[in-house]
Amino acid sequence: MKYNILRVINIQFVQKRFFKKVQVRVRFAPSPTGFLHVGSLRTALYNYLFARANNGAFILRIEDTDQSRCVPEAADKIQNDLLWSGIIPDEDPIRGGPVGPYVQSKRIEIYKEQVLKLINNGSAYYCFCTENRLQLLRREAIKCGQVPKYDNRCRYLSDDEIKAKLDKGSPFCIRFKLFSGVECFHDLIYGKIELDITKTEGDPIIIKSDGYPTYHFANVVDDHLMEISHVLRGIEWQVSTPKHIMMYKAFNWTPPIYGHLPLILNSDGTKLSKRQNDIHIESFRKEGIFPLAVLNYVIHAGGGFDNKGGVHYIDSYEELIKQFDISKIKVSSNKLLPKKLLDFNKLEISKLLANEKNNKFLVERIKKLVVETFPNRQTDGTLQLDEGHIIYTLKWTQDRIFKLSDLVSPKLSFLWIIPNTPLEADHSECLDALKILSNKLVEIDIQNFNKAWINGYLKEFAKEHDISFPILMKVLRFILSGLKDGPPIGEIMEILGKQSTLLRLNRYIS
C-alpha cells in the first residue's frame, strides 16, 4: 500500500518494528502540568496512527524539566488516560525501552554532557546576566516600542572573563547562539516555512541556573538520541522549529521531519484551556463516554480522514489506522462540536451492544453505575439488576440515551428502583379497577407479556370497566415509573416484565 506522505518526503520506510531497523519513530511528549485534554489527545493520536500505519514505533516521553509547574501524579494520569484511549506506546516510562529513561528529569546528566559539546564548539556560552538586568532590558525595549529580547551581551565575554566569573562562583545559565538570517524548512502540513527568529528573540537559554534544561534544548537532544524520525506537534511550536533546527546543525545532527497540527477550538471559536473541565479526558471517562467516541470526535475536528460517514458511523482503531492520511490534515483551525461527541458515543453503545461478547463488560459497568447512584436501595433488595434485565434495558434505551450515565437519570431511574409513589386524590377513582387489573395480569402467560398485547388489552380493559383510557395510562405511568410524562405504558410494562409490574402495582394498591 502506498501513502501520500511517502511521496511527499521521498523516504522508503523499513517494514520492521525491531529497534535500529525502524525508520519511522514518533513521540508524544507531554508536560505533567495538568490533565490530558482533547487537544493533547489529538497530538498523541495522530502520532500513534502515523506510527502504526507505517509499521513504526510510538514513544511516550514525559517532559518535566520545568519542575515549578509540574502537578503531582499528573504524569501517571496522562499515561492512564492514553491507555484508556487505546493509544498504547511501544516505549514509555512504565515499560521502558532501549533509549530510556523516558522522563526528562532523569536525564539531567545526558543534557550536561551534550551541552558541553556546544560550549566546546562555540555554539553555546555561559551567561551571567542577573534577572534585574533582564527586566531592565525588557522595560527599556517596551518603552522604545521594540520587541523585548536578550541583547546577547555575554556572548562576547572573553575566556578569561568567563573563567574568572566561574571561579568566583557567579550564578549562570547557558545560552545557545542563534544564527542570523532566514531558516527554511518543509512542514509536512503547511509546506515551505521561512522564519528569521533573530528579529524577535535573542539567544535562548538552554540550561537554566538550576541545572535543568529548557524545553527547546532537552527536546532536541532527546529527539536525536531516541532516533525520532518525524515530529508531529501543535502549530504553536512551528515558530520554534527554526531554533531547533539550528541546534541540530550545531551538533552536526540530522533533524527530524516536522509537521505542525492546526489548532482545534471550542465551539465558540476560543482556544482550548487546561482549566476547562469539559475537555479533559478524565471528565469524559467519568461521564461514561467510550474511548472510540472520543477519538472519532477528535478526528472530525482535525482532518486527516475522509469522514464520509459523518456522525452516522464510528471508525474502529483498525479503520482509523488504515484511513489516516497526513496530507488530508487541514491547515485551518477547526471547532469542536460537543453534540458530535454524544452522537458518536450513542453509536459506540449500539456497536458494543450488537456483539454479545461485550455483554458481560456492559452488565458489570451498569451494575456498578446503578449501585453507586442508588446506594441506599442496595440494602433493601429492590434494585433490579439481573443480567437479562440489564441487557434488555440497554437494547430498549439505546436510541434514547447518549451515555451510560443517562440510564440513571431521573427520567429512567424507574428501570432500576421502585419509585415512591403515594396515592394521589385524582387516582382514587381507579383504585378498584387497578385491583381487578392486577388479578387479571397474574393469569397472563409471561410469554405474551409484550407491548403489542399490553396496549390492546389495556384499551379493552378501560372500555370494559368504563374508565377513561388516557386517565388509566396516566395513573399506570405514575405508579410504575413515578413519572407524569414518559415512555408509552406498553413499553414500560414490557421492559419491567410481568413480575416487576405486578410488584409495583400491588405495592401501590396496598
Side-chain angles (χ1 to χ4, degrees):
M1 180 181 290
K2 294 183 179 179
Y3 296 87
N4 290 338
I5 182 58
L6 302 186
R7 295 195 291 271
V8 172
I9 59 178
N10 195 26
I11 291 180
Q12 182 180 0
F13 295 108
V14 178
Q15 301 297 311
K16 290 186 179 180
R17 294 282 299 281
F18 187 74
F19 184 62
K20 295 294 184 184
K21 293 184 179 181
V22 174
Q23 189 158 358
V24 173
R25 285 177 62 82
V26 295
R27 48 73 170 177
F28 174 56
S31 297
T33 56
F35 296 107
L36 186 71
H37 63 66
V38 290
S40 300
L41 182 72
R42 190 269 303 262
T43 300
L45 174 63
Y46 282 23
N47 276 281
Y48 172 80
L49 295 177
F50 185 75
R52 293 292 174 265
N54 293 294
N55 292 323
F58 171 67
I59 293 93
L60 173 66
R61 183 174 74 222
I62 301 298
E63 300 195 337
D64 62 343
T65 56
D66 191 346
Q67 292 285 295
S68 63
R69 296 180 61 230
C70 290
V71 175
E73 299 182 358
D76 291 338
K77 289 180 179 178
I78 288 171
Q79 293 177 82
N80 287 335
D81 283 342
L82 286 176
L83 292 176
W84 172 84
S85 303
I87 301 175
I88 302 174
D90 299 293
E91 304 163 29
D92 63 21
I94 295 176
R95 58 180 51 81
V99 290
Y102 293 87
V103 178
Q104 285 187 335
S105 59
K106 297 180 180 180
R107 298 172 62 86
I108 301 302
E109 293 304 315
I110 295 174
Y111 306 130
K112 288 180 178 179
E113 177 186 343
Q114 295 300 323
V115 79
L116 287 176
K117 295 179 181 179
L118 295 185
I119 290 175
N120 292 335
N121 70 18
S123 299
Y125 59 91
Y126 295 98
C127 175
F128 302 94
C129 291
T130 63
E131 185 57 33
N132 285 338
R133 180 176 186 274
L134 298 177
Q135 290 288 354
L136 286 173
L137 281 177
R138 292 190 193 100
R139 286 198 291 267
E140 187 62 27
I142 293 171
K143 181 179 177 181
C144 298
Q146 299 173 348
V147 177
K149 62 178 183 176
Y150 180 55
D151 61 357
N152 302 344
R153 175 183 179 183
C154 289
R155 181 194 276 212
Y156 307 104
L157 293 176
S158 66
D159 291 343
D160 290 339
E161 290 175 307
I162 294 171
K163 185 176 184 305
K165 289 181 179 292
L166 291 175
D167 290 342
K168 187 181 176 181
S170 299
F172 67 86
C173 64
I174 299 176
R175 291 182 182 270
F176 176 73
K177 293 181 181 178
L178 294 179
F179 314 152
S180 60
V182 173
E183 184 69 46
C184 178
F185 70 96
H186 178 79
D187 190 306
L188 286 175
I189 297 164
Y190 287 84
K192 185 178 182 181
I193 303 295
E194 294 179 303
L195 291 169
D196 183 355
I197 58 174
T198 58
K199 291 181 178 179
T200 56
E201 61 177 292
D203 291 341
I205 295 172
I206 54 176
I207 299 291
K208 295 175 286 188
S209 57
D210 62 2
Y212 275 80
T214 59
Y215 163 81
H216 302 288
F217 182 69
N219 175 276
V220 167
V221 170
D222 289 343
D223 282 351
H224 174 73
L225 296 181
M226 293 181 179
E227 298 194 2
I228 300 302
S229 62
H230 298 75
V231 172
L232 304 180
R233 58 188 179 185
I235 187 62
E236 66 272 18
W237 295 112
Q238 191 182 68
V239 70
S240 300
T241 302
K243 179 164 42 185
H244 299 161
I245 292 175
M246 289 181 192
M247 290 185 198
Y248 275 97
K249 290 180 178 178
F251 276 116
N252 198 27
W253 294 340
T254 301
I257 297 162
Y258 290 95
H260 293 89
L261 305 171
L263 289 174
I264 49 177
L265 307 171
N266 291 306
S267 57
D268 61 0
T270 57
K271 289 185 178 181
L272 302 182
S273 169
K274 287 186 176 181
R275 297 181 181 89
Q276 289 178 243
N277 291 328
D278 62 342
I279 63 169
H280 292 152
I281 305 307
E282 185 177 51
S283 69
F284 296 150
R285 296 175 65 174
K286 289 179 178 178
E287 288 178 15
I289 303 295
F290 285 98
L292 271 176
V294 177
L295 298 190
N296 278 263
Y297 176 52
V298 167
I299 69 167
H300 275 253
F305 302 83
D306 289 329
N307 297 333
K308 291 179 180 178
V311 294
H312 304 294
Y313 184 80
I314 189 163
D315 287 307
S316 66
Y317 290 98
E318 293 79 7
E319 289 169 321
L320 290 174
I321 292 169
K322 184 178 179 180
Q323 292 177 25
F324 180 63
D325 185 343
I326 200 169
S327 69
K328 291 181 179 178
I329 295 178
K330 306 168 187 175
V331 297
S332 57
S333 301
N334 289 271
K335 296 179 181 179
L336 288 169
L337 300 175
K339 177 62 170 62
K340 282 188 176 182
L341 176 60
L342 295 178
D343 289 336
F344 282 125
N345 204 58
K346 186 176 183 178
L347 285 173
E348 180 64 358
I349 290 173
S350 296
K351 193 173 181 180
L352 288 169
L353 194 55
N355 188 341
E356 291 185 2
K357 293 180 179 178
N358 298 316
N359 283 5
K360 185 176 181 180
F361 158 74
L362 290 170
V363 166
E364 292 305 315
R365 182 88 176 262
I366 293 168
K367 276 185 180 179
K368 181 181 179 183
L369 177 65
V370 173
V371 169
E372 289 176 349
T373 306
F374 309 108
N376 296 331
R377 296 297 186 95
Q378 188 178 13
T379 55
D380 64 13
T382 60
L383 287 181
Q384 196 166 348
L385 290 177
D386 59 279
E387 182 175 337
H389 175 67
I390 291 175
I391 295 300
Y392 190 75
T393 297
L394 258 182
K395 290 179 179 178
W396 179 70
T397 57
Q398 62 182 312
D399 292 328
R400 291 176 165 88
I401 63 172
F402 290 98
K403 49 186 187 294
L404 292 185
S405 57
D406 292 342
L407 289 169
V408 291
S409 66
K411 286 286 187 182
L412 294 175
S413 61
F414 74 89
L415 294 167
W416 318 106
I417 62 174
I418 299 174
N420 294 316
T421 51
L423 184 68
E424 295 191 358
D426 59 345
H427 294 176
S428 58
E429 62 185 86
C430 296
L431 196 56
D432 290 338
L434 291 175
K435 291 178 181 178
I436 297 171
L437 177 62
S438 176
N439 291 329
K440 291 284 187 182
L441 291 179
V442 170
E443 302 171 2
I444 302 304
D445 187 342
I446 196 170
Q447 300 298 325
N448 295 327
F449 204 79
N450 56 70
K451 63 183 179 181
W453 177 88
I454 292 169
N455 288 334
Y457 180 78
L458 291 178
K459 284 181 181 179
E460 290 297 322
F461 180 86
K463 185 177 179 181
E464 180 182 344
H465 294 275
D466 196 24
I467 302 173
S468 167
F469 182 68
I471 290 178
L472 179 62
M473 295 298 97
K474 180 180 178 181
V475 173
L476 284 174
R477 179 179 291 108
F478 185 68
I479 292 171
L480 299 176
S481 70
L483 302 173
K484 294 188 176 181
D485 297 294
I489 290 302
E491 291 188 21
I492 290 178
M493 292 175 69
E494 181 180 37
I495 196 167
L496 289 177
K498 177 181 173 180
Q499 297 305 321
S500 184
T501 297
L502 284 171
L503 173 64
R504 296 181 186 209
L505 195 56
N506 292 330
R507 278 169 64 102
Y508 184 81
I509 293 171
S510 63

